[in-house]
Amino acid sequence: MADLTLVIGTKTYSSWSLRPWLALHLAQAPFREILIRLRQPDTLAEIRRHSPSGRVPLLIDGTLRIWDSLAICEYAAERFPAAGLWPEDSAARATARAVSAEMHAGFAALRRDLSMDCQLRTRLTPEGETEADIDRITTLWRDCRDRFGAGGPFLFGRPTIADCMYAPVVSRFVSYDIALDPACAAYRDAVLALPAMQAWLAAAAAETV
């Protein structure tokens, strides 16, 4: 199983890379990491050496190439079923997939105005569509915690792919000093405390960007 390779972008910036990187760590899956520096003159050429889409992340498993964050997370869940990357309960699992897909496809204003930068510390007062995105995200967090979070501090109790999908949002909320209610602040802190998240943030802090 050590033949897995994950091609990722600069950890300071690459929100899409963080998601499957966390999922593979949650699954305790051995993998090799190839990091490509983003925002460089040769970035696209370097990515295209590996990825047919010209984007990161990319998971390589033998001759198989998987070039989408959520698809990589799904593959990890299938490849390492004992890790329980999706909730066992069918209602919780369906909800986890729905909130993950909503993150994957939505929140364009938040992505635009709160771009991921793990080294950044500033204060932003969100307005308009960005504020609406944050309100929707925090509503999702509270709903998942209220309905399915009894078993632990994460959206569905224990860590799942849904938490991986929202981990970059957690990073953004720290970078831009977004005020959160106590329940959402506690969830933010639980994600930040994950050993894999701590490792990612430490590596990002050490990057020269």
Side-chain angles (χ1 to χ4, degrees):
M1 300 224 179
D3 55 343
L4 294 178
T5 298
L6 186 67
V7 183
I8 63 173
T10 306
K11 288 178 177 173
T12 299
Y13 302 130
S14 189
S15 59
W16 293 108
S17 297
L18 171 57
R19 294 171 170 121
W21 192 92
L22 277 180
L24 289 171
H25 275 277
L26 290 180
Q28 298 184 344
F31 67 95
R32 185 169 70 101
E33 176 185 309
I34 296 175
L35 189 145
I36 296 173
R37 291 187 67 198
L38 303 180
R39 306 182 184 183
Q40 303 299 311
D42 62 345
T43 293
L44 184 57
E46 286 297 307
I47 291 174
R48 282 183 169 160
R49 291 180 54 212
H50 305 281
S51 176
S53 70
R55 297 181 179 181
V56 288
L58 170 79
L59 183 68
I60 303 170
D61 186 2
T63 60
L64 178 64
R65 301 287 192 275
I66 307 172
W67 59 89
D68 174 85
S69 293
L70 188 52
I72 295 169
C73 291
E74 287 278 13
Y75 184 72
E78 294 178 359
R79 182 82 185 270
F80 303 96
L85 290 180
W86 289 120
E88 292 181 11
D89 175 76
S90 61
R93 187 167 60 251
T95 304
R97 283 196 160 104
V99 300
S100 296
E102 185 170 354
M103 182 69 252
H104 190 263
F107 306 115
L110 179 137
R111 299 180 198 279
R112 180 192 67 224
D113 295 338
L114 281 71
S115 60
M116 180 160 148
D117 185 340
C118 294
Q119 297 187 14
L120 178 67
R121 293 296 181 271
T122 188
R123 177 165 293 179
L124 176 73
T125 301
E127 299 177 346
E129 293 179 342
T130 304
E131 184 179 20
D133 278 357
I134 292 171
D135 287 346
R136 173 59 182 160
I137 287 168
T138 54
T139 296
L140 285 172
W141 288 3
R142 287 190 297 270
D143 180 63
C144 291
R145 292 286 304 133
D146 289 345
R147 294 168 61 199
F148 304 110
F154 299 96
L155 294 181
F156 296 86
R158 57 180 175 75
T160 67
I161 287 170
D163 303 298
C164 299
M165 294 301 294
Y166 284 89
V169 176
V170 166
S171 171
R172 288 172 161 100
F173 285 176
V174 172
S175 292
Y176 295 92
D177 194 21
I178 301 300
L180 299 173
D181 63 79
C184 290
Y187 171 67
R188 174 201 63 202
D189 293 345
V191 173
L192 290 171
L194 283 168
M197 188 71 171
Q198 288 285 303
W200 177 281
L201 293 174
E207 288 178 329
T208 301
V209 296

